[in-house]
Amino acid sequence: GDLESAADWDLASLAVDDTDATVWFNLATVYDRLDEYERAVDALERACELDPRDETARARLKRLWREGVTEP
């Protein structure tokens, strides 16, 4: 489906440059919508690492933690 295509595009983009916080955030959004929460958390953690000032990414990460997805 469209979400799988979006994930593939994001992964291909990260294969070229894995330092783009926006792509990590986008990938996390796709994983979240696919109910792949562990992967979403991993991608959000990377996005927050790369851009610690991204309040949206941090808020989404905290939401997933509250919903019971593994916290570090």
Side-chain angles (χ1 to χ4, degrees):
D2 292 336
L3 289 174
E4 288 84 4
S5 296
D8 289 343
W9 185 90
D10 288 335
L11 290 169
S13 180
L14 290 170
V16 175
D17 177 10
D18 70 350
T19 63
D20 188 331
T22 301
V23 177
W24 282 106
F25 179 83
N26 292 343
L27 182 60
T29 300
V30 171
Y31 284 149
D32 192 13
R33 290 183 181 169
L34 290 170
D35 297 333
E36 294 185 27
Y37 302 117
E38 298 279 335
R39 287 181 168 186
V41 165
D42 290 343
L44 283 168
E45 287 173 343
R46 184 70 174 130
C48 290
E49 240 176 61
L50 292 167
D51 185 1
R53 293 170 290 158
D54 186 339
E55 294 296 326
T56 304
R58 288 185 5 189
R60 186 168 294 170
L61 182 58
K62 288 177 184 178
R63 177 185 57 83
L64 288 172
W65 286 341
R66 277 193 311 272
E67 292 175 359
V69 181
T70 306
E71 185 171 356

